[in-house]
Coordinates of all heavy atoms in Angstrom, one line a residue:
T67 N 7.3 16.4 30.5 CA 7.3 17.4 29.5 C 8.1 18.6 29.9 O 8.9 19.2 29.1 CB 5.8 17.9 29.2 OG1 5.0 16.8 28.8 CG2 5.7 19.0 28.2
A68 N 8.1 19.0 31.2 CA 8.9 20.1 31.7 C 10.4 19.7 31.6 O 11.2 20.6 31.2 CB 8.5 20.4 33.1
L69 N 10.7 18.5 31.9 CA 12.1 18.1 31.9 C 12.7 18.1 30.5 O 13.8 18.6 30.2 CB 12.3 16.6 32.4 CG 12.3 16.4 33.9 CD1 12.2 14.9 34.2 CD2 13.5 17.0 34.5
L70 N 11.9 17.6 29.5 CA 12.3 17.6 28.1 C 12.4 19.0 27.5 O 13.2 19.3 26.7 CB 11.4 16.7 27.3 CG 11.6 15.2 27.7 CD1 10.5 14.3 27.1 CD2 13.0 14.7 27.2
D71 N 11.5 19.9 27.9 CA 11.5 21.3 27.5 C 12.8 21.9 27.8 O 13.4 22.7 27.0 CB 10.3 22.1 28.1 CG 9.0 21.9 27.4 OD1 9.1 21.4 26.2 OD2 8.0 22.2 28.0
R72 N 13.3 21.6 29.1 CA 14.6 22.2 29.5 C 15.7 21.7 28.6 O 16.8 22.4 28.5 CB 14.9 21.8 31.0 CG 13.8 22.3 32.0 CD 13.8 23.7 32.3 NE 12.8 24.1 33.2 CZ 12.9 24.1 34.5 NH1 14.0 23.7 35.1 NH2 11.9 24.5 35.3
L73 N 15.6 20.5 28.1 CA 16.6 19.9 27.2 C 16.5 20.3 25.7 O 17.3 19.9 24.9 CB 16.6 18.4 27.4 CG 17.0 17.9 28.8 CD1 16.7 16.4 28.8 CD2 18.4 18.2 29.1
G74 N 15.4 21.0 25.4 CA 15.2 21.4 24.0 C 14.5 20.3 23.2 O 14.6 20.2 22.0
N75 N 13.7 19.5 24.0 CA 12.9 18.4 23.4 C 13.7 17.5 22.4 O 13.4 17.4 21.2 CB 11.7 19.0 22.6 CG 10.7 19.7 23.6 OD1 10.3 19.1 24.6 ND2 10.4 21.0 23.3
P76 N 14.6 16.8 23.0 CA 15.5 15.9 22.1 C 14.7 14.8 21.5 O 15.1 14.3 20.4 CB 16.5 15.3 23.1 CG 15.8 15.5 24.5 CD 15.0 16.7 24.4
H77 N 13.6 14.4 22.0 CA 12.8 13.2 21.5 C 12.1 13.6 20.2 O 11.6 12.7 19.5 CB 11.7 12.8 22.5 CG 10.8 13.9 23.0 ND1 11.2 15.1 23.5 CD2 9.5 14.0 22.9 CE1 10.2 15.8 23.8 NE2 9.1 15.2 23.5
H78 N 12.2 14.9 19.8 CA 11.6 15.3 18.5 C 12.6 15.2 17.4 O 12.3 15.4 16.2 CB 11.1 16.7 18.6 CG 9.9 16.9 19.5 ND1 9.5 18.1 19.9 CD2 9.0 16.0 20.0 CE1 8.5 18.0 20.7 NE2 8.1 16.7 20.7
R79 N 13.8 14.7 17.7 CA 14.9 14.8 16.7 C 15.1 13.4 15.9 O 16.0 13.3 15.1 CB 16.2 15.1 17.3 CG 16.2 16.5 18.0 CD 17.6 16.8 18.6 NE 17.4 17.8 19.7 CZ 18.4 18.0 20.6 NH1 19.6 17.5 20.5 NH2 18.2 18.9 21.6
Y80 N 14.3 12.4 16.2 CA 14.4 11.1 15.6 C 13.1 10.4 15.7 O 12.2 10.7 16.6 CB 15.5 10.3 16.3 CG 15.4 10.4 17.8 CD1 14.5 9.6 18.5 CD2 16.3 11.2 18.5 CE1 14.5 9.7 19.9 CE2 16.3 11.3 19.9 CZ 15.3 10.6 20.6 OH 15.3 10.7 21.9
P81 N 12.8 9.5 14.7 CA 11.5 8.7 14.8 C 11.7 7.6 15.8 O 12.8 7.2 16.2 CB 11.4 8.1 13.4 CG 12.8 8.1 12.9 CD 13.6 9.2 13.5
S82 N 10.5 7.2 16.3 CA 10.5 6.2 17.4 C 9.5 5.1 17.1 O 8.5 5.3 16.5 CB 10.1 6.9 18.7 OG 11.1 7.8 19.1
I83 N 9.8 3.9 17.6 CA 8.9 2.8 17.7 C 8.5 2.7 19.2 O 9.4 2.6 20.0 CB 9.5 1.5 17.2 CG1 10.0 1.7 15.7 CG2 8.6 0.3 17.3 CD1 11.0 0.6 15.3
H84 N 7.3 2.7 19.5 CA 6.8 2.7 20.9 C 6.1 1.4 21.2 O 5.1 1.0 20.5 CB 5.9 3.9 21.1 CG 5.8 4.4 22.5 ND1 4.8 5.3 22.9 CD2 6.4 4.0 23.6 CE1 5.0 5.6 24.2 NE2 5.9 4.8 24.7
V85 N 6.5 0.7 22.3 CA 6.0 -0.7 22.5 C 5.5 -0.8 23.9 O 6.2 -0.5 24.9 CB 7.1 -1.7 22.3 CG1 6.5 -3.1 22.5 CG2 7.7 -1.6 20.9
T86 N 4.2 -1.2 24.0 CA 3.6 -1.4 25.3 C 3.0 -2.8 25.4 O 3.0 -3.6 24.4 CB 2.5 -0.4 25.7 OG1 2.1 -0.5 27.0 CG2 1.3 -0.6 24.7
G87 N 2.5 -3.2 26.5 CA 2.0 -4.6 26.7 C 2.3 -5.0 28.1 O 3.1 -4.4 28.8
T88 N 1.6 -6.1 28.6 CA 1.9 -6.6 29.9 C 3.1 -7.6 29.8 O 4.0 -7.5 30.7 CB 0.7 -7.4 30.4 OG1 -0.4 -6.5 30.4 CG2 0.9 -7.8 31.9
N89 N 3.2 -8.5 28.9 CA 4.3 -9.4 28.7 C 4.7 -9.3 27.3 O 3.9 -9.1 26.4 CB 3.9 -10.8 29.1 CG 3.6 -11.0 30.6 OD1 4.3 -10.6 31.4 ND2 2.4 -11.5 30.9
G90 N 6.0 -9.5 27.0 CA 6.5 -9.6 25.7 C 7.1 -8.3 25.2 O 7.9 -8.4 24.1
K91 N 6.9 -7.2 25.8 CA 7.3 -5.9 25.2 C 8.8 -5.8 25.2 O 9.4 -5.3 24.3 CB 6.7 -4.7 25.9 CG 6.9 -4.5 27.4 CD 6.1 -3.3 27.9 CE 6.3 -3.1 29.3 NZ 5.8 -4.1 30.2
G92 N 9.5 -6.3 26.2 CA 11.0 -6.3 26.3 C 11.6 -7.1 25.2 O 12.5 -6.7 24.5
S93 N 11.0 -8.3 24.9 CA 11.5 -9.1 23.8 C 11.3 -8.5 22.5 O 12.2 -8.5 21.6 CB 10.9 -10.5 23.9 OG 11.2 -11.2 25.1
V94 N 10.1 -8.0 22.3 CA 9.8 -7.3 21.0 C 10.7 -6.1 20.8 O 11.3 -5.9 19.6 CB 8.3 -6.9 21.0 CG1 8.1 -5.9 19.8 CG2 7.4 -8.1 20.9
C95 N 11.0 -5.3 21.8 CA 11.9 -4.2 21.6 C 13.3 -4.7 21.3 O 14.0 -4.1 20.4 CB 12.0 -3.4 22.9 SG 10.5 -2.3 23.2
A96 N 13.8 -5.7 22.0 CA 15.2 -6.2 21.7 C 15.3 -6.8 20.3 O 16.3 -6.5 19.6 CB 15.5 -7.3 22.8
M97 N 14.3 -7.5 19.9 CA 14.4 -8.1 18.5 C 14.3 -7.0 17.5 O 15.1 -7.0 16.5 CB 13.3 -9.1 18.3 CG 13.5 -10.5 19.0 SD 12.4 -11.7 18.4 CE 11.1 -11.6 19.7
T98 N 13.4 -6.0 17.7 CA 13.3 -4.9 16.7 C 14.6 -4.1 16.6 O 15.1 -3.8 15.5 CB 12.1 -4.0 17.1 OG1 10.9 -4.8 17.2 CG2 11.9 -2.9 16.1
A99 N 15.1 -3.8 17.8 CA 16.4 -3.0 17.8 C 17.5 -3.8 17.1 O 18.3 -3.2 16.4 CB 16.8 -2.6 19.2
S100 N 17.6 -5.1 17.4 CA 18.7 -5.9 16.8 C 18.6 -6.0 15.3 O 19.7 -6.0 14.7 CB 18.7 -7.3 17.5 OG 19.0 -7.2 18.9
I101 N 17.4 -6.2 14.8 CA 17.4 -6.4 13.3 C 17.7 -5.0 12.6 O 18.3 -5.0 11.5 CB 16.1 -7.0 12.8 CG1 14.9 -6.1 13.1 CG2 15.8 -8.3 13.5 CD1 13.6 -6.5 12.4
L102 N 17.2 -3.9 13.2 CA 17.6 -2.6 12.6 C 19.1 -2.3 12.7 O 19.6 -1.8 11.8 CB 16.8 -1.5 13.4 CG 15.3 -1.4 13.1 CD1 14.6 -0.6 14.2 CD2 15.0 -0.9 11.7
Q103 N 19.7 -2.7 13.8 CA 21.1 -2.5 13.9 C 21.9 -3.4 12.9 O 22.8 -2.9 12.3 CB 21.6 -2.9 15.3 CG 23.1 -2.7 15.5 CD 23.5 -3.0 16.9 OE1 22.8 -2.7 17.9 NE2 24.7 -3.5 17.1
A104 N 21.4 -4.6 12.7 CA 22.1 -5.5 11.8 C 22.0 -4.9 10.3 O 22.9 -5.2 9.5 CB 21.4 -6.9 11.8
Q105 N 21.0 -4.1 10.1 CA 20.9 -3.5 8.8 C 21.8 -2.3 8.6 O 22.0 -1.8 7.5 CB 19.4 -3.1 8.5 CG 19.1 -2.6 7.1 CD 19.4 -3.6 6.0 OE1 18.9 -4.7 6.1 NE2 20.1 -3.2 5.0
G106 N 22.4 -1.9 9.7 CA 23.3 -0.8 9.7 C 22.8 0.6 10.2 O 23.5 1.6 10.2
Y107 N 21.5 0.6 10.7 CA 21.0 1.8 11.3 C 21.6 2.0 12.7 O 21.9 1.0 13.4 CB 19.5 1.7 11.4 CG 18.8 1.5 10.1 CD1 18.1 0.3 9.8 CD2 18.9 2.5 9.0 CE1 17.5 0.1 8.6 CE2 18.3 2.2 7.8 CZ 17.6 1.1 7.6 OH 17.0 0.8 6.4

């Protein structure tokens, strides 16, 4: 929080998808990002 405060809280400037889990989270993130990119975002 202190680090981001010094930067002006850049994480508040865009919406986020947040993924946790023990296994599978990396694959879910990669697939989600790829389909959004294919749409042009």
